Amino acid sequence: IIQEDINNGVSKKNLKFRFPPEPNGYLHIGHAKAIAINFGLGEKYNAPVNLRFDDTNPLAEDKEYVEAITKDIAWLNYKWDKITYSSDHFKTLYLWAIMLINKGKAYVDSQTSSEIANQKGTTTKPGLNSPYRDRPCEESLRIFKEMKEGKHPEGIHVLRAKIDMSNPNMLMRDPVIYRVIHKAHHRTGNDWCIYPMYDWAHGQSDYCEQISHSLCSLEFKPHRKLYDWFVLSLKDQNIVSLNILPKQREFARLNLSYTIMSKRKLSLVVEKKYVAGWDDPRMPTISGLRRRGYTPSSLRSFVKKAGVAKRDNLIDVSLLEFCIREELNKTASRKMVVTNPLKLTIENYNENKSEFVLSENNPELDEAGTRKLLFSKHLYIEKEDFLEKASKKFFRLTLDKEVRLKSAYIIKCEQVVKDSDGEIEEVICSYDPKSKSGSGTPESNRKVKGTLHWVSADACLPVEIRDYDRLFIEETPGAATGSFINDINIESLKTTTGFAEKSLKGSVVGETFQFQRKGYYVLDKDSTISKPVFNKTVGLRDGWKKKQS
């Protein structure tokens, strides 16, 4: 569309875009697509992009959301030309509304909202004119000014555009332009008692800011005709001089499986405490994804792979998970963490001895180097990595069989120690002192079928692990049950404690790691010096389909 305009003579100097979120909630992954399209086109054509807050409803909007949205877009590494607000244009919009009244293109309607709705008609039946449609301009003007001055309560009067009550597009049937709201605005305080509706504020704000292309999702396609009617009504009066008129065009919104993309529904999830806030790592909000360990580049890569379409479709959430998994595999340092510890004692290792073994930080990066891990007589391994009696297909630790401890030695299980209930509480092993990884001895190259991760009991760090899963169990939440709440995954968070290698001490919030054989994790803001908290970002592979089958 843009290239066609350029081919038809539109100067690139006149290109200008905007991203116009309403500050009534946190941005989610669906907004990331709109952000990428608008700011991406700005980058492509070296054109300015405004971040404009559509703050026309003080009942739902808050400064908290403005700050969160600004933070999210900056975190995604997009740069705006200006931050603007629809409220910047309140006075201009008010004066232009007066112009419409004076030109006979708008009138004050004193019917109730239900009466107005009943007169709208249907898609097959034309609407009925309001009894106030031919109200004298002077009277409409007087009442409208009184509305602005706070002299009328909410719901008594509205200002409507006078277009066509028989238009097949229902939005063209004398839409409401202004309504009375007696509530302080987060920027203008109590200066205004009337607030413009979206369709009036949106296109005219584009007009004021000289936006060339107003790009929005497909649900606004029916609004395009009204958008053009409002813009042209101002052009006809030579209100603003533009080289080109702003043009609304639509693209398919991003719909993600196992996810809801409605701020209203997400707000309910937060209010009902199904999650711990807007930035809960299970939430599809950008702040939630950031806290879960997603990176700006992974989200930008996902949006690019999902593509831009002209019809709605459902993107598999596994594509999003693939993008972060692919990135972290190349960038995340490897660490060893045991979450269900079983004590392992090496009987032929000196009690007073300890040593360092070297382990790769990231085999995908040659420059990542190695780190030192303390190895000692007493270790922890995962309970699931030991079976007293095992089949031939079990390649981890069992009696009288050998495995390798990663980056260290080959060990052999000699016996088990059980508690009074018969539960195994310790395994006793022997080790081959010549089998140390990387030592260059023939024994170090000896092949065994299993390799286990471990931590030293003498040099480990207590940690809390939060394993997050998808928030909903159905691909399209609510489609089958009629309520998305019924499809909430009650097992979407499992919290455990464990022991990690000491090198994780001193990690910073937001730093990501691969916990070997477990998945990718990020240090959470709830961490303390004595007990770090790690959130699971994504598994080493897509295990959801296997789980569902």
Side-chain angles (χ1 to χ4, degrees):
I1 291 168
I2 295 167
Q3 192 58 50
E4 183 179 344
D5 286 340
I6 293 172
N7 294 342
N8 290 333
V10 173
S11 172
K12 289 184 180 180
K13 293 181 180 179
N14 290 328
L15 294 180
K16 191 174 186 179
F17 309 102
R18 88 290 170 269
F19 174 62
E22 182 182 1
N24 63 347
Y26 284 61
L27 297 181
H28 53 63
I29 185 64
H31 293 110
K33 178 177 180 178
I35 293 169
I37 289 175
N38 284 286
F39 285 94
L41 287 170
E43 293 173 353
K44 179 176 180 178
Y45 291 104
N46 193 28
V49 184
N50 284 354
L51 168 55
R52 183 174 74 234
F53 291 98
D54 177 32
D55 57 343
T56 59
N57 182 8
L59 297 173
E61 297 154 2
D62 194 273
K63 186 179 178 182
E64 172 194 352
Y65 302 133
V66 172
E67 293 172 350
I69 290 169
T70 306
K71 180 180 178 180
D72 286 346
I73 297 173
W75 176 75
L76 286 169
N77 295 322
Y78 288 112
K79 293 180 173 57
W80 51 79
D81 180 54
K82 296 177 182 177
I83 292 182
T84 64
Y85 298 80
S86 293
S87 55
D88 293 337
H89 311 299
F90 276 179
K91 184 175 181 180
T92 299
L93 293 171
Y94 171 69
L95 293 175
W96 286 351
I98 289 176
M99 179 273 293
L100 288 182
I101 295 173
N102 285 329
K103 295 295 181 181
K105 292 187 175 184
Y107 62 96
V108 170
D109 195 335
S110 302
Q111 296 183 101
T112 65
S113 58
S114 59
E115 287 173 334
I116 293 174
N118 289 335
Q119 290 173 350
K120 277 280 187 177
T122 66
T123 54
T124 58
K125 180 182 176 182
L128 300 174
N129 287 344
S130 164
Y132 299 96
R133 198 171 195 266
D134 295 322
R135 179 175 244 160
C137 294
E138 296 78 11
E139 185 180 347
S140 283
L141 189 59
R142 174 182 58 79
I143 299 173
F144 184 54
K145 289 181 178 179
E146 291 174 351
M147 291 162 60
K148 188 257 184 188
E149 293 166 0
K151 295 181 178 179
H152 296 284
E154 296 178 10
I156 299 299
H157 307 291
V158 294
L159 183 68
R160 296 177 69 180
K162 186 185 290 187
I163 306 179
D164 181 5
M165 289 301 291
S166 62
N167 196 295
N169 185 329
M170 300 284 288
L171 294 171
M172 299 296 287
R173 296 182 183 180
D174 290 12
V176 174
I177 304 178
Y178 273 94
R179 75 285 204 203
V180 175
I181 299 178
H182 292 292
K183 188 177 189 306
H185 187 275
H186 72 101
R187 291 187 75 234
T188 62
N190 293 305
D191 291 350
W192 294 88
C193 297
I194 54 171
Y195 290 92
M197 301 298 287
Y198 168 85
D199 284 309
W200 174 243
H202 182 61
Q204 312 329 302
S205 295
D206 286 343
Y207 208 137
C208 290
E209 296 172 20
Q210 300 199 0
I211 302 301
S212 63
H213 294 81
S214 179
L215 305 172
C216 54
S217 49
L218 278 178
E219 69 253 40
F220 291 100
K221 188 171 183 178
H223 295 249
R224 189 202 294 185
K225 191 172 182 179
L226 182 56
Y227 179 100
D228 291 343
W229 189 91
F230 281 139
V231 169
L232 289 172
S233 71
L234 297 181
K235 176 180 178 294
D236 290 344
Q237 303 302 317
N238 296 316
I239 300 294
V240 178
S241 176
L242 284 178
N243 292 311
I244 56 174
L245 290 175
K247 174 186 292 187
Q248 176 180 304
R249 292 296 182 267
E250 306 81 23
F251 56 86
R253 65 184 298 172
L254 193 152
N255 296 305
L256 202 61
S257 63
Y258 300 96
T259 310
I260 53 176
M261 293 296 197
S262 161
K263 279 194 286 187
R264 178 183 59 81
K265 292 180 179 179
L266 290 174
S267 179
L268 184 63
V269 171
V270 173
E271 290 171 9
K272 298 294 185 181
K273 300 189 183 303
Y274 292 108
V275 295
W278 283 96
D279 69 343
D280 187 294
R282 291 165 290 183
M283 290 283 279
T285 55
I286 293 176
S287 57
L289 290 165
R290 177 167 63 244
R291 190 174 172 190
R292 190 160 176 167
Y294 279 79
T295 62
S297 52
S298 68
L299 296 187
R300 292 177 69 152
S301 173
F302 165 69
V303 171
K304 185 176 181 179
K305 291 180 187 297
V308 181
K310 290 292 287 182
R311 62 183 180 85
D312 286 326
N313 56 352
L314 187 67
I315 304 297
D316 196 319
V317 70
S318 63
L319 178 62
L320 175 63
E321 295 167 346
F322 167 81
C323 289
I324 187 61
R325 185 184 294 114
E326 182 182 46
E327 178 177 327
L328 294 181
N329 180 51
K330 299 174 182 177
T331 61
S333 295
R334 275 48 172 170
K335 303 293 179 181
M336 289 199 280
V337 179
V338 174
T339 55
N340 191 15
L342 173 65
K343 187 176 181 181
L344 183 151
T345 298
I346 304 174
E347 60 180 355
N348 60 332
Y349 196 91
N350 193 315
E351 183 76 45
N352 299 316
K353 178 184 175 183
S354 64
E355 62 183 300
F356 286 106
V357 297
L358 296 178
S359 188
E360 287 182 298
N361 285 324
N362 188 332
E364 302 292 326
L365 292 174
D366 293 336
E367 63 271 24
T370 58
R371 67 192 186 282
K372 292 181 178 180
L373 300 174
L374 187 70
F375 187 86
S376 59
K377 184 181 184 72
H378 303 289
L379 309 172
Y380 291 121
I381 63 169
E382 296 284 357
K383 279 187 178 180
E384 65 185 35
D385 283 342
F386 176 79
L387 281 180
E388 186 176 8
K389 296 179 180 179
S391 69
K392 292 182 179 179
K393 293 184 179 181
F394 185 76
F395 298 127
R396 286 170 277 182
L397 188 62
T398 188
L399 281 169
D400 298 323
K401 287 191 178 181
E402 291 183 321
V403 296
R404 177 174 290 283
L405 294 175
K406 184 170 177 58
S407 303
Y409 296 97
I410 292 174
I411 60 170
K412 180 180 179 181
C413 183
E414 305 291 350
Q415 59 178 304
V416 298
V417 177
K418 299 182 180 180
D419 61 18
S420 57
D421 295 323
E423 296 293 325
I424 297 172
E425 60 181 9
E426 184 179 3
V427 292
I428 309 298
C429 299
S430 60
Y431 87 114
D432 180 352
K434 295 182 180 180
S435 64
K436 185 176 182 180
S437 295
S439 64
T441 65
E443 289 82 0
S444 68
N445 294 319
R446 187 156 58 88
K447 303 297 182 184
V448 291
K449 288 187 176 180
T451 300
L452 309 184
H453 68 281
W454 54 275
V455 294
S456 169
D458 301 318
C460 60
L461 180 68
V463 294
E464 179 179 310
I465 306 294
R466 296 174 180 173
D467 283 315
Y468 290 99
D469 203 345
R470 297 176 185 176
L471 185 57
F472 296 95
I473 58 175
E474 293 297 331
E475 184 176 68
T476 306
T481 63
S483 171
F484 69 95
I485 294 295
N486 294 335
D487 292 332
I488 287 180
N489 180 7
I490 61 174
E491 297 183 347
S492 60
L493 170 59
K494 294 181 180 179
T495 302
T496 57
T497 57
F499 297 111
E501 60 178 77
K502 263 294 182 57
S503 66
L504 277 170
K505 189 174 184 179
S507 302
V508 298
V509 172
E511 193 171 0
T512 53
F513 306 94
Q514 184 197 99
F515 290 177
Q516 293 185 307
R517 299 176 61 212
K518 292 184 175 297
Y520 296 96
Y521 290 80
V522 62
L523 187 67
D524 188 68
K525 66 180 183 179
D526 289 344
S527 298
T528 63
I529 295 176
S530 59
K531 192 169 188 180
V533 176
F534 291 92
N535 299 330
K536 185 175 184 178
T537 305
V538 69
L540 295 176
R541 57 190 60 84
D542 185 0
W544 182 263
K545 291 181 179 178
K546 181 178 180 181
K547 187 194 306 184
Q548 295 296 90
S549 62

